[in-house]
């Protein structure tokens, strides 16, 4: 883009499972099942901005939208007139994978003879859905509690030393990260 700025964009792709299972007597009167399922693509955009400043200073900022893979698989059982009790539909519904929305930033620069990098990432874990949904609870059944995850802020710091040893350049690195859990205190 000029002035040391560049930008990039892409996406994360996950597959969601949708389908149904039907259980019923066949033409011969035997119980059988038919399954239908399909994978449906889910796309989450990723955008990044990079700046290369004077004196070797680098900075970056990225945004990733939440990436979610859900599954929906209702099971419908119709056993026919020979079975006196109706079987309610069973809905198998939930979230197989969840990567939260995140915003990351990092800046690095030379501090002779080292390079220091400091970064942080905010993750929106508060949007995490229940992994398994209650689909057919009785009327007096208590509502399923939300996971209650908290948003997190991860911190990173790193050091690098470029050291020439004849024809070889060694670059030992040291880093640390603080990554708090999004899970609330368990009771």
């Amino acid at each position: 883009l000029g002035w040391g700025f560049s930008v990039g964009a892409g996406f994360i792709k996950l597959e969601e499972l949708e389908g149904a299972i039907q259980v019923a007597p066949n033409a011969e009167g035997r119980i059988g099942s038919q399954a239908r399922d399909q994978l449906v693509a889910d796309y989450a955009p990723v955008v990044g901005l990079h700046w290369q400043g004077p004196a070797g200073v680098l900075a970056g900022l990225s945004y990733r939208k939440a990436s979610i893979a859900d599954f929906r698989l209702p099971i419908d059982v119709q056993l026919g007139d020979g079975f006196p009790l109706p079987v309610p539909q069973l809905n198998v519904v939930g979230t197989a994978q969840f990567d939260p929305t995140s915003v990351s930033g990092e800046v690095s620069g030379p501090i002779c003879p080292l390079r220091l990098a400091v970064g942080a990432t905010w993750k929106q874990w508060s949007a995490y859905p229940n992994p398994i949904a209650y689909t057919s609870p009785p009327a007096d059944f208590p509502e399923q509690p939300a996971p209650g995850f908290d948003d997190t802020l991860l911190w990173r710091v790193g050091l690098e030393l470029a050291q020439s040893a004849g024809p070889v350049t060694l670059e030992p690195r040291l880093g640390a990260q603080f990554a708090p859990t999004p899970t609330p205190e368990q009771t």
Side-chain angles (χ1 to χ4, degrees):
L1 301 175
W3 302 289
F5 286 97
S6 57
V7 67
F11 61 88
I12 298 170
K13 178 184 174 199
L14 286 177
E15 300 291 335
E16 296 184 343
L17 178 65
E18 292 184 357
I21 298 175
Q22 295 170 334
V23 179
N26 60 18
E28 300 165 355
R30 289 202 248 164
I31 301 297
S33 64
Q34 291 183 337
R36 173 188 57 80
D37 60 15
Q38 64 181 351
L39 293 175
V40 179
D42 177 74
Y43 298 94
V46 179
V47 180
L49 178 66
H50 179 261
W51 178 66
Q52 187 167 350
V57 174
L58 303 172
L61 183 66
S62 69
Y63 167 81
R64 293 178 180 210
K65 187 175 183 303
S67 182
I68 304 169
D70 291 326
F71 57 90
R72 286 172 287 290
L73 198 64
I75 303 172
D76 190 30
V77 179
Q78 301 295 326
L79 298 178
D81 297 333
F83 194 78
L85 298 174
V87 178
Q89 185 180 57
L90 303 171
N91 287 313
V92 181
V93 179
T95 300
Q97 181 171 337
F98 177 82
D99 296 322
T101 296
S102 66
V103 177
S104 294
E106 185 170 304
V107 64
S108 72
I111 301 177
C112 291
L114 301 170
R115 172 170 282 280
L116 173 67
V118 178
T121 300
W122 169 81
K123 293 187 175 192
Q124 189 184 17
W125 283 106
S126 60
Y128 180 66
N130 277 314
I132 299 293
Y134 286 1
T135 55
S136 303
D140 60 345
F141 202 72
E143 186 175 327
Q144 183 180 14
F149 281 14
D150 297 319
D151 294 348
T152 60
L153 187 61
L154 289 76
W155 293 95
R156 296 177 301 278
V157 63
L159 290 171
E160 178 182 80
L161 172 65
Q163 190 68 39
S164 294
V168 177
T169 300
L170 301 174
E171 295 181 348
R173 296 177 179 151
L174 176 67
Q177 173 176 276
F178 173 71
T181 180
T183 308
E185 183 177 338
Q186 300 298 296
T187 59

